[in-house]
């Protein structure tokens, strides 16, 4: 089953998991907050439902899952469907990515803050 299909079919389950495991969710937010600057305009590659973008103040997001993007839009994020996934970015040399855009990587996702 393609990865995007999994997220299309389980977007609600993904999001509800964080409601059911609030302490884990808050711990992840606290850990990520250390890497995401508070100034500038941000974009999250792999924004999903926007669950992390909202508390981290990341306004824009990309994701291949339309279902997840619908949730992110309801949360007030400005999002766009990505085609082809984020594999190319995750395989890139981080120093090359950071030379193109100031970047803060976290978990399996990447948040970029543009100055």
């Amino acid at each position: 089953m393609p990865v995007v299909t999994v997220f299309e079919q389980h977007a609600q389950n993904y999001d509800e998991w964080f409601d059911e495991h609030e302490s884990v969710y808050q711990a992840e937010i606290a850990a990520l907050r250390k890497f995401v600057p508070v100034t500038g305009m941000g974009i999250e590659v792999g924004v999903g439902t926007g669950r992390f973008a909202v508390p981290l103040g990341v306004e824009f997001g990309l994701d291949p899952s339309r279902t997840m993007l619908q949730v992110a839009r309801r949360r007030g994020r400005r999002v766009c469907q990505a085609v082809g996934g984020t594999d190319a970015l995750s395989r890139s040399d981080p120093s090359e990515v950071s030379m193109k855009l100031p970047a803060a990587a976290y978990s399996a996702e990447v948040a970029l803050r543009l100055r």
Side-chain angles (χ1 to χ4, degrees):
M1 176 182 314
V3 173
V4 173
T5 303
V6 171
F7 287 105
E8 290 293 337
Q9 293 176 352
H10 300 287
Q12 184 174 347
N13 294 341
Y14 166 86
D15 216 50
E16 288 174 352
W17 188 92
F18 291 103
D19 291 332
E20 295 166 5
H21 300 89
E22 182 70 22
S23 62
V24 175
Y25 174 60
Q26 291 304 323
E28 287 191 35
I29 293 295
L32 296 173
R33 198 174 303 280
K34 297 174 185 177
F35 299 100
V36 180
V38 295
T39 61
M41 183 177 6
I43 182 169
E44 182 178 351
V45 177
V47 70
T49 63
R51 179 166 283 276
F52 290 90
V54 172
L56 295 172
V58 179
E59 185 68 26
F60 302 96
L62 298 172
D63 201 276
S65 171
R66 288 183 184 186
T67 304
M68 290 193 137
L69 290 174
Q70 289 171 349
V71 177
R73 279 189 193 99
R74 286 195 298 271
R75 288 192 165 127
R77 300 305 88 183
R78 296 170 63 182
V79 296
C80 180
Q81 185 179 20
V83 178
T86 59
D87 290 342
L89 184 58
S90 65
R91 285 193 304 261
S92 296
D93 178 344
S95 65
E96 291 175 15
V97 173
S98 63
M99 288 190 323
K100 295 175 186 173
L101 295 169
Y106 58 88
S107 185
E109 303 163 343
V110 176
L112 302 176
R113 289 286 183 178
L114 309 177
R115 297 182 197 270

